[in-house]
Amino acid sequence: MINALALNLIADVMSWDTEDATKEYAWLRLMSAVKYDGYSDFRAGVRFLENLATWLRQFQPTDRPAAYDFVKTRLVYLSQAEMQRVIEVFIPETVTPHLRKAAAAEAGIKPWEVWGNQGGVAAFNRLLRRSLFVGLSDGSRIDILRRANSPRLVQDQFVPMLDIGDEKWLDLGKELIGSLGQDARFDNVYLIDDFTASGTTFIRQVEGKWKGKLKKFNDLVIKARESMKEQFPIAEDYALHIHHYVSTEQARVALDERVADAKANLENRSFDEVTITEGLLLPSSLKMVGGHDTAILDLCERYYDDHLYQRLKKHCDEAGQSDMKRGYASCALPIVLEHNAPNNAIPLLWAETTGRNGHPMRPLFRRRDRHG
């Protein structure tokens, strides 16, 4: 659809007069071109403006101004360029300072002396090569991370997903030994994911049983170490680093508490030291609350299909919630990433239902669901 037709359709849906339409067209053209048209799940020929028109039409005419105002003033959209930048700075701004400090301790010098000291540089390069980077989902974008740091890091330091078999472990160990000698093992393991809003899915106890990505990785290491013995390429006392490209303050607090609990109580824990970092920490003020956000939260209550909760009931119940009106773990976030809409964002943005248990819901940014 040509943009002019889409704009006219939005003006018709919103009942704008000529003056209002002219004013809003400029903003809509700018934002669709600079940001929103880059959403990866839009179809060719049906981009942001066409989806916005369809999305607005699901609301009663009296509710449409609140919905449009939310998109214009409250929605946070992380574009492809912004996500790529936060991935590219991970090694220089998070990994390098940590390893430089460790290299300085190993060489007996101050961290700021490492680059001017031959022993310090050698120690840093050795520590960097003995670091392994593991993606926890397709959102970890290991392909971008690897290309941004080539040839400083080699391909055999990256694992894109948590499906590592013995053959892969053997290859990683063989290449590491070929670079640094027979005794070389990975001392630092970085678990990487794109986004966390609640921190609950990373590690949690459900009815006394540990679940989550950290538990899955720990089990993977324990099983492979038992199977491969001395051929397993990760050191016995390796340091674990948990890094999200984007995180909320709510998730950071939850991760600190839950990881500390796991470190103290998880049986057969394979890791020693744990650090938690993020590329972009979103403030607590991002969460929508009554008062400033009353209008859009009211729409979340009335334009809701409980089939959304029924479909995700297992995960919702584990998070202690009885509906999905404000998203998973009731995070009530107004956020969309260029490659997906998090289920912690308000469902008005991404839910697509037929109205089986309430109001039919139409997405502005269609979500690729990882939880059924």
Side-chain angles (χ1 to χ4, degrees):
M1 184 186 295
I2 300 173
N3 278 356
L5 294 177
L7 289 169
N8 288 337
L9 181 56
I10 293 172
D12 182 61
V13 169
M14 294 299 297
S15 300
W16 287 334
D17 58 25
T18 302
E19 183 179 352
D20 287 338
T22 301
K23 183 174 62 177
E24 297 302 330
Y25 283 179
W27 182 83
L28 287 167
R29 284 195 182 99
L30 174 66
M31 294 304 292
S32 59
V34 172
K35 303 202 90 175
Y36 301 139
D37 277 354
Y39 188 62
S40 61
D41 221 329
F42 285 156
R43 291 174 293 169
V46 185
R47 313 302 289 181
F48 174 70
L49 294 178
E50 293 82 356
N51 279 282
L52 178 62
T54 303
W55 184 73
L56 288 169
R57 289 184 68 174
Q58 72 181 312
F59 303 108
Q60 293 295 319
T62 54
D63 291 329
R64 291 171 189 170
Y68 181 79
D69 183 67
F70 162 75
V71 173
K72 188 172 180 180
T73 65
R74 199 69 166 91
L75 176 63
V76 174
Y77 180 91
L78 296 181
S79 69
Q80 183 177 10
E82 290 165 329
M83 285 302 298
Q84 177 147 346
R85 182 57 56 90
V86 82
I87 295 171
E88 290 174 344
V89 301
F90 167 49
I91 299 296
E93 293 191 0
T94 300
V95 176
T96 296
H98 176 82
L99 296 185
R100 187 174 60 215
K101 187 176 179 180
E106 190 173 314
I109 56 179
K110 300 296 183 183
W112 58 85
E113 297 175 323
V114 166
W115 305 134
N117 181 286
Q118 189 173 4
V121 171
F124 178 86
N125 289 336
R126 188 165 52 249
L127 287 167
L128 185 61
R129 182 61 183 88
R130 291 167 69 119
S131 297
L132 181 67
F133 301 89
V134 180
L136 297 179
S137 73
D138 54 359
S140 59
R141 302 307 306 268
I142 293 296
D143 56 335
I144 296 176
L145 182 64
R146 181 173 56 78
R147 283 198 295 269
N149 294 282
S150 177
R152 182 169 42 175
L153 298 173
V154 299
Q155 185 162 344
D156 299 293
Q157 291 179 260
F158 295 98
V159 180
M161 299 290 282
L162 277 180
D163 56 353
I164 316 170
D166 286 357
E167 185 176 350
K168 180 62 176 177
W169 285 125
L170 284 172
D171 285 343
L172 294 172
K174 179 181 177 182
E175 294 299 327
L176 179 60
I177 289 172
S179 298
L180 298 181
Q182 191 63 36
D183 296 331
R185 296 291 184 274
F186 290 110
D187 300 315
N188 291 281
V189 176
Y190 290 83
L191 301 184
I192 306 165
D193 215 342
D194 56 344
F195 180 72
T196 180
S198 67
T200 58
T201 56
F202 192 83
I203 184 71
R204 62 190 184 281
Q205 286 197 64
V206 179
E207 298 178 348
K209 294 184 179 180
W210 289 97
K211 291 187 175 182
K213 296 175 181 177
L214 179 55
K215 172 66 165 54
K216 185 177 181 180
F217 179 75
N218 188 70
D219 288 350
L220 187 71
V221 169
I222 295 295
K223 183 179 179 182
R225 178 173 283 152
E226 289 177 353
S227 169
M228 301 174 64
K229 310 296 184 189
E230 67 277 3
Q231 290 183 296
F232 186 61
I234 296 181
E236 286 282 348
D237 55 348
Y238 74 96
L240 182 68
H241 307 267
I242 300 163
H243 184 80
H244 291 88
Y245 296 133
V246 183
S247 176
T248 66
E249 285 200 1
Q250 177 181 340
R252 180 54 194 266
V253 171
L255 279 175
D256 284 339
E257 294 174 350
R258 289 166 181 264
V259 170
D261 185 22
K263 189 175 179 183
N265 300 307
L266 179 63
E267 294 181 359
N268 296 323
R269 173 168 56 84
S270 66
F271 49 88
D272 185 18
E273 175 190 349
V274 184
T275 58
I276 303 171
T277 55
E278 55 281 313
L280 173 63
L281 184 62
L282 299 169
S284 57
S285 59
L286 183 65
K287 181 175 183 176
M288 296 193 298
V289 295
H292 179 66
D293 299 304
T294 297
I296 190 67
L297 291 177
D298 178 57
L299 297 189
C300 292
E301 291 284 333
R302 291 189 285 119
Y303 294 88
Y304 172 70
D305 182 355
D306 198 54
H307 179 64
L308 195 63
Y309 164 74
Q310 299 299 332
R311 187 166 59 86
L312 303 172
K313 188 175 187 306
K314 177 183 176 183
H315 301 284
C316 292
D317 290 350
E318 289 182 3
Q321 60 187 121
S322 56
D323 64 60
M324 277 285 285
K325 293 177 180 176
R326 298 190 181 190
Y328 181 72
S330 298
C331 287
L333 295 178
I335 191 169
V336 173
L337 280 62
E338 55 86 21
H339 60 284
N340 207 1
N343 64 1
N344 311 90
I346 55 171
L348 272 187
L349 281 171
W350 52 266
E352 187 171 16
T353 73
T354 60
R356 190 182 304 178
N357 299 104
H359 197 284
M361 303 177 77
R362 298 288 176 266
L364 180 54
F365 298 95
R366 183 171 284 110
R367 168 180 164 76
R368 292 295 181 183
D369 206 336
R370 299 172 184 171
H371 302 289

